[in-house]
């Protein structure tokens, strides 16, 4: 008899282990005393620690192993189960016993594992639908010596399969980006959608710092990931603006992102494995929403400006009112220049005698230092020293809007660029809109932005033209355009 039989654990763990040297061999022939008992203890711990229920049968169909998970599911203890012949009369209904045992024992003579589903009886008389995996256990001669059967409740198995299927679907077919980020904030798994959004292959993303994948927005994203690792998932998705590097340059995108902290289910204390980051590109919807909000605001400003200007007794003051209302959220500074009649130049900007260039006189401007309301200027009628290529002059000559920008200039170069054009030194972007009333060109209004703002777009030019119409009407009424 082996040491495991002598230790009293075989009834719970399994049949007698095969003797190496025959039944008459000395106890010490297997090694040091107690070594076999230690192996039995290890086997007991392994079987009882399994998440799946496990039982085993010898070649005659007698139960030899029965672990604690099997006891939990069916209620039968190892003492009650081990030694019984098959499941008939206790773990299955008598009517089902022959079919179930036949399917189970057939695994001893079939290659690989056999999967079956059938109902087992619990100790209190209930029925449990289980899914089994059974396979033959072969002896030293290669012949079947028994079989083992691992089983679990079908609903638990289905839950597991659903979790696996969900995981695979997320990383293959999901219509939003899914990225698993490790504790070092580096992508560990990336699905196809996320790889396309990042503009790089799935394998090329793995293990790289986020700063190499995104041109802008990295700090905000890393801050969110660090917070999730420390505090857990936020209660709602977050909208993040990022810039993605592409072959066509940087593209600004808005991603609605959700975060989940991943912890190992195999430890008592939660050990963070990383963060699950799910995101969806909402750039188009966000831009549409922002454009709609901007249009509502600008329309409201035009309405407020018209109401306020209507209360001004001086039409020139009404022109500055329109200018001040237009600046809100649109530009940092604004200048109004009117056309001066010099050398026979007419008020519409055309030379009356073919001689004398167009010259502009400052009519109103906002303070170039601290913010404040625009003030009327140019009472002396002295022309502003604009060059022929100045955007304001070009605007008058073309009778259309002109945009200008310092572009990729450095700080000092951009400053020189602004000073040369007689604008405040912090100017980086400019938009000139022509002032026309009653079929005549009266001058030009120039809106200026600093480095903290984006350059003017076509929608900005349309808004500036609306403001220019109102300013031109007021100037025409005041006689400043004559």
């Amino acid at each position: 008899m082996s040491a495991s039989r002598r230790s009293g654990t075989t009834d719970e763990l399994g049949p007698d282990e095969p003797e190496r040297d025959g039944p008459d061999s000395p106890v010490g022939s297997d090694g040091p005393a107690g070594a076999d008992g230690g192996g039995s203890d290890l086997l007991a711990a392994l079987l009882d620690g399994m998440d799946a229920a496990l039982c085993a049968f010898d070649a005659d169909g007698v139960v030899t192993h029965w672990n604690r998970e099997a006891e939990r599911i069916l209620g039968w203890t190892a003492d009650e189960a081990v030694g019984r012949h098959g499941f008939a009369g206790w773990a299955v209904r008598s009517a089902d016993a022959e079919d179930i045992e036949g399917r189970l024992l057939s695994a001893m003579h079939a290659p690989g594992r056999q999967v079956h589903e059938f109902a087992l009886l619990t100790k209190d008389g209930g029925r449990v639908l289980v899914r089994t995996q059974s396979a033959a256990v072969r002896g030293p001669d290669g012949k079947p010596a028994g079989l083992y059967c691992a089983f679990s409740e079908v609903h638990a198995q289905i839950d597991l399969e659903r979790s696996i299927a969900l995981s695979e679907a997320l990383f293959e077919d999901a219509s939003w980006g899914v990225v698993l980020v490790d504790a070092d904030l580096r992508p560990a798994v990336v699905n196809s959608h996320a790889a396309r959004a990042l503009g790089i292959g799935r394998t090329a993303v793995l293990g790289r710092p986020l700063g190499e994948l995104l041109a802008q927005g990295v700090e905000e994203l890393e801050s969110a990931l660090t917070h999730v690792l420390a505090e857990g998932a936020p209660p709602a998705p977050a909208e993040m603006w990022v810039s993605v590097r592409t072959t066509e340059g940087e593209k600004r995108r808005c991603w609605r992102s959700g975060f989940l902290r991943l912890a190992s289910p195999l430890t008592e204390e939660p050990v963070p494995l990383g963060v699950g980051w799910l995101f969806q590109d909402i750039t188009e919807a966000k831009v549409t929403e922002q454009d709609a909000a901007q249009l509502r605001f600008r329309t409201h400003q035009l309405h407020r400006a018209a109401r306020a200007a209507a209360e001004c007794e001086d039409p020139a003051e009404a022109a500055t009112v329109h200018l001040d209302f237009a600046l809100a959220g649109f530009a940092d500074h604004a200048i109004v220049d009117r056309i001066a009649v010099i050398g026979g130049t007419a008020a519409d900007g055309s030379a009356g005698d073919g001689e004398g260039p167009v010259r502009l006189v400052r009519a109103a401007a906002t303070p170039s230092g601290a913010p404040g309301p625009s003030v009327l200027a140019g009472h002396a009628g002295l022309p502003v020293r604009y060059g022929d290529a100045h955007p304001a002059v070009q605007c008058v000559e073309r009778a259309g809007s002109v945009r200008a920008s310092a572009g990729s200039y450095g700080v000092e170069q951009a400053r020189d660029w602004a000073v040369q054009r007689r604008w405040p030194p912090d100017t980086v972007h400019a938009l000139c809109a022509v002032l026309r009333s009653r079929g005549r060109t009266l001058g030009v209004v120039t809106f200026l932005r600093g480095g903290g703002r984006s350059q003017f777009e076509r929608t900005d030019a349309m808004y500036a033209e609306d403001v220019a119409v109102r300013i031109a009407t007021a100037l025409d009424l005041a006689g400043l355009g004559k």
Side-chain angles (χ1 to χ4, degrees), residues 95-364:
D96 300 331
E98 183 176 354
D99 175 63
I100 292 175
E101 291 183 8
R103 284 194 284 169
L104 282 177
L105 296 178
S106 66
M108 281 193 290
H109 306 286
R113 292 178 298 176
Q114 303 292 309
V115 179
H116 302 285
E117 288 186 6
F118 44 75
L120 296 180
L121 293 178
T122 62
K123 187 176 182 180
D124 58 7
R127 300 184 71 193
V128 177
L129 184 63
V130 299
R131 179 174 296 176
T132 66
Q133 293 188 28
S134 52
V137 177
R138 303 190 181 279
D141 56 359
K143 295 181 179 180
L147 65 92
Y148 76 85
C149 174
F151 63 92
S152 61
E153 297 175 83
V154 167
H155 71 82
Q157 183 71 20
I158 291 177
D159 288 345
L160 175 61
E161 291 179 1
R162 283 174 179 159
S163 297
I164 296 173
L166 174 61
S167 176
E168 292 180 350
L170 285 175
F171 288 104
E172 294 297 335
D173 306 320
S175 59
W176 55 86
V178 181
V179 180
L180 296 190
V181 182
D182 62 22
D184 295 326
L185 305 186
R186 295 173 183 252
V189 184
V190 178
N191 76 340
S192 301
H193 188 97
R196 288 193 300 270
L198 293 168
I200 194 171
R202 292 182 65 178
T203 56
V205 177
L206 305 183
R208 296 179 61 178
L210 295 174
E212 295 182 7
L213 305 176
L214 300 175
Q216 295 181 7
V218 178
E219 296 80 2
E220 183 181 5
L221 176 58
E222 289 184 341
S223 176
L225 294 172
T226 302
H227 173 80
V228 173
L229 281 172
E231 304 293 337
E239 295 179 357
M240 296 185 176
W241 283 94
V242 300
S243 291
V244 182
R245 296 186 179 94
T246 66
T247 55
E248 302 173 355
E250 295 182 4
K251 288 188 176 180
R252 188 163 170 78
R253 314 302 297 172
C254 182
W255 291 342
R256 178 173 289 148
S257 303
F259 302 94
L260 298 171
R261 181 168 62 179
L262 306 178
S264 173
L266 303 179
T267 57
E268 294 183 4
E269 295 295 330
V271 177
L273 297 178
V275 177
W277 171 32
L278 292 81
F279 66 89
Q280 189 174 26
D281 193 321
I282 59 170
T283 306
E284 293 184 6
K286 198 66 179 177
V287 170
T288 301
E289 177 185 332
Q290 291 178 344
D291 289 345
Q294 183 183 78
L295 180 60
R296 287 194 301 269
F297 174 76
R298 290 179 176 178
T299 302
H300 184 57
Q301 286 296 97
L302 290 175
H303 174 72
R304 293 178 61 198
R307 294 283 299 273
E311 302 300 323
C312 297
E313 295 182 1
D314 183 0
E317 182 183 354
T320 62
V321 168
H322 284 292
L323 195 64
D324 291 335
F325 273 95
L327 280 179
F330 182 67
D332 298 316
H333 305 290
I335 299 170
V336 176
D337 296 316
R338 63 180 175 87
I339 292 177
V341 180
I342 299 178
T345 302
D348 62 356
S350 60
D353 57 3
E355 300 177 359
V358 174
R359 290 293 181 261
L360 297 172
V361 176
R362 184 66 43 85

